[in-house]
Amino acid sequence: SSGINAEYGEVQSFEDGIKRPYFHVKELERVQLKNWKNYLDHVMAKKNNAKTVTLFERCLIACALYESFWIKYAEFMREIDVEETSKIYRRACMTHLPKKPQVHLNWAAFEEQRGQVAVAREALAHIDTNMPGLIAVILRRAGLERRCGNKQQGADILKAAVEASRGSTRDFWTLKYLNYTQFVLDQPHLGQELLEAEVEASQNSMRLYAKLLDMQNYKAQNNVDVTTAVTIFQKALESKLSAEEKAVFSHRRLTFLEEHSDSIEAIIIAYEDHVKNWKPAEKKRIEPMKDNNKKMGGNNKMGGGGRQYGGNYNNKQHYGGHNQGGGGYHGGYNQHQQQWYPQQQQNYNRSY
């Protein structure tokens, strides 16, 4: 009895802090979210899996619309039972969070890592249907097919993105498709045909004209050497460059690996290194750009901005305002993509 009392005494303050144990579409107050997070951390530290699972299930009644808690639950469970982890992701994505990109990307990465490619495709197709046009999702779909050896399917995904977009976003996907046909398919003429058609159609894109000139110097034997490229990125990150400049190279390494690496593990490792070592410098670099963007009335002149392709990642109209972020690779990959790609940059306003 004394043991039970002592145990309850440890968690009484957490229990007293739970003001709304039931589900409601109205957002929870920050203090409530913090209380649940601290309560879970406390119980997880005790290494009692049964009690931890019970608390997670209680938490996810009140916090069903907060992807950070689902991600936390999945990350906890993956060390115990991978099949149960898959079920947690499925519950989160298919039932509670059909329009949350981050948890879908995490689910897809988890399934790809354990060889369940069909399920990874299902996760990505689900979010692409519910929130069409998100950059990170499209790139991941194309990358998944490439890593599976389905190179043409990857190209088809990128070409479909070109056809579904307009303006500067169409230029962005045109260049992505062009790079893919060059370095993955080794059929640069396919990308060049599309590029020439886009130049003829728009006639006002400096980026496309510049790329068309670059294409004249392209040689088919210049295939991508991933190992050499990663070595060069690493040298840059270990050089005497400023932290802000290294953050740029870290970002470019992430994009490069997403588009060319055959290893999902390499992508995850690069992302976690980026978050651990370069995120502060990344923020320092982006804040002045945000301020300048505001002065120019919200138009991102540096990247040819626009919100027409994917919209605001955290727009409450789409997400109901439940925007708590998760940690590690499995809590932030999509935030990275949405932050760095130019046409999404002006919409990146997530606190994380």
Side-chain angles (χ1 to χ4, degrees):
S1 176
S2 61
I4 294 175
N5 290 335
E7 184 176 349
Y8 181 75
E10 290 184 359
V11 301
Q12 184 176 0
S13 63
F14 297 121
E15 290 288 344
D16 292 343
I18 300 173
K19 305 301 182 185
R20 197 180 79 187
Y22 52 89
F23 173 79
H24 198 286
V25 293
K26 184 179 178 181
E27 292 184 42
L28 280 168
E29 297 176 355
R30 285 185 177 273
V31 66
Q32 290 280 292
L33 296 173
K34 185 177 181 180
N35 183 65
W36 276 116
K37 179 184 180 300
N38 292 340
Y39 196 178
L40 287 166
D41 289 342
H42 173 81
V43 174
M44 289 170 68
K46 298 294 183 180
K47 306 296 184 182
N48 187 319
N49 292 342
K51 290 183 178 180
T52 302
V53 169
T54 299
L55 184 61
F56 265 115
E57 293 294 340
R58 285 180 60 198
C59 170
L60 288 169
I61 295 173
C63 304
L65 299 182
Y66 292 87
E67 61 185 341
S68 64
F69 290 105
W70 286 101
I71 291 168
K72 192 179 185 74
Y73 191 13
E75 288 297 302
F76 162 77
M77 186 59 70
R78 70 184 294 157
E79 303 298 327
I80 303 170
D81 186 334
V82 292
E83 291 300 329
E84 191 61 34
T85 303
S86 183
K87 292 177 183 178
I88 291 168
Y89 274 128
R90 183 173 291 279
R91 284 169 57 197
C93 295
M94 297 299 186
T95 303
H96 300 285
L97 307 171
K99 293 186 176 181
K100 293 283 191 176
Q102 184 176 310
V103 69
H104 284 78
L105 287 166
N106 296 348
W107 182 20
F110 167 76
E111 298 293 357
E112 185 181 350
Q113 277 186 292
R114 71 188 193 110
Q116 298 296 319
V117 175
V119 183
R121 286 194 186 100
E122 179 187 6
L124 295 173
H126 186 255
I127 186 60
D128 201 28
T129 299
N130 287 299
M131 291 293 292
L134 293 178
I135 290 173
V137 174
I138 295 171
L139 288 178
R140 175 60 60 78
R141 288 183 62 214
L144 173 63
E145 297 304 335
R146 178 181 53 77
R147 288 188 290 274
C148 292
N150 304 320
K151 296 180 180 179
Q152 185 57 53
Q153 286 91 326
D156 292 342
I157 289 169
L158 294 177
K159 190 170 185 179
V162 175
E163 294 169 351
S165 57
R166 295 291 180 270
S168 60
T169 307
R170 192 179 181 94
D171 294 350
F172 171 87
W173 285 118
T174 298
L175 297 179
K176 287 295 179 186
Y177 177 76
L178 179 63
N179 289 337
Y180 191 97
T181 59
Q182 282 184 327
F183 302 116
V184 178
L185 295 183
D186 195 21
Q187 298 182 52
H189 65 279
L190 296 177
Q192 183 162 354
E193 289 171 2
L194 178 64
L195 178 62
E196 290 173 349
E198 291 299 316
V199 168
E200 184 67 24
S202 68
Q203 299 188 11
N204 62 357
S205 173
M206 187 175 68
R207 296 173 69 194
L208 295 186
Y209 279 112
K211 190 63 177 180
L212 189 59
L213 290 172
D214 290 342
M215 282 293 297
Q216 308 312 311
N217 299 322
Y218 175 77
K219 303 298 181 183
Q221 64 268 26
N222 290 342
N223 295 320
V224 173
D225 184 335
V226 175
T227 301
T228 300
V230 169
T231 300
I232 294 171
F233 280 124
Q234 193 60 36
K235 286 182 178 179
L237 294 175
E238 295 172 354
S239 70
K240 295 182 180 179
L241 292 171
S242 70
E244 289 82 1
E245 290 170 325
K246 289 181 180 180
V248 173
F249 276 100
S250 180
H251 152 64
R252 291 185 65 181
R253 177 179 64 176
L254 273 172
T255 303
F256 174 85
L257 290 173
E258 183 67 41
E259 296 179 357
H260 299 293
S261 176
D262 292 323
S263 169
I264 187 68
E265 287 81 5
I267 297 170
I268 292 171
I269 290 170
Y271 176 78
E272 292 182 339
D273 176 69
H274 183 80
V275 171
K276 179 180 178 181
N277 295 312
W278 309 114
K279 197 169 187 67
E282 173 186 350
K283 289 181 178 178
K284 284 179 64 178
R285 178 177 179 272
I286 288 178
E287 285 305 322
M289 296 169 67
K290 284 184 178 179
D291 294 339
N292 188 47
N293 187 36
K294 291 178 181 178
K295 293 176 183 178
M296 294 188 293
N299 293 318
N300 187 341
K301 302 297 183 182
M302 296 185 68
R307 62 173 68 221
Q308 64 269 35
Y309 202 84
N312 189 330
Y313 177 78
N314 294 313
N315 192 326
K316 292 188 179 183
Q317 180 180 351
H318 294 302
Y319 294 103
H322 302 278
N323 291 322
Q324 301 298 311
Y329 170 80
H330 294 284
Y333 178 79
N334 192 59
Q335 291 156 310
H336 165 79
Q337 295 286 4
Q338 295 299 116
Q339 178 178 8
W340 278 98
Y341 285 109
Q343 63 269 43
Q344 296 288 357
Q345 187 171 329
Q346 72 183 68
N347 298 326
Y348 182 78
N349 58 8
R350 184 174 186 127
S351 58
Y352 161 68

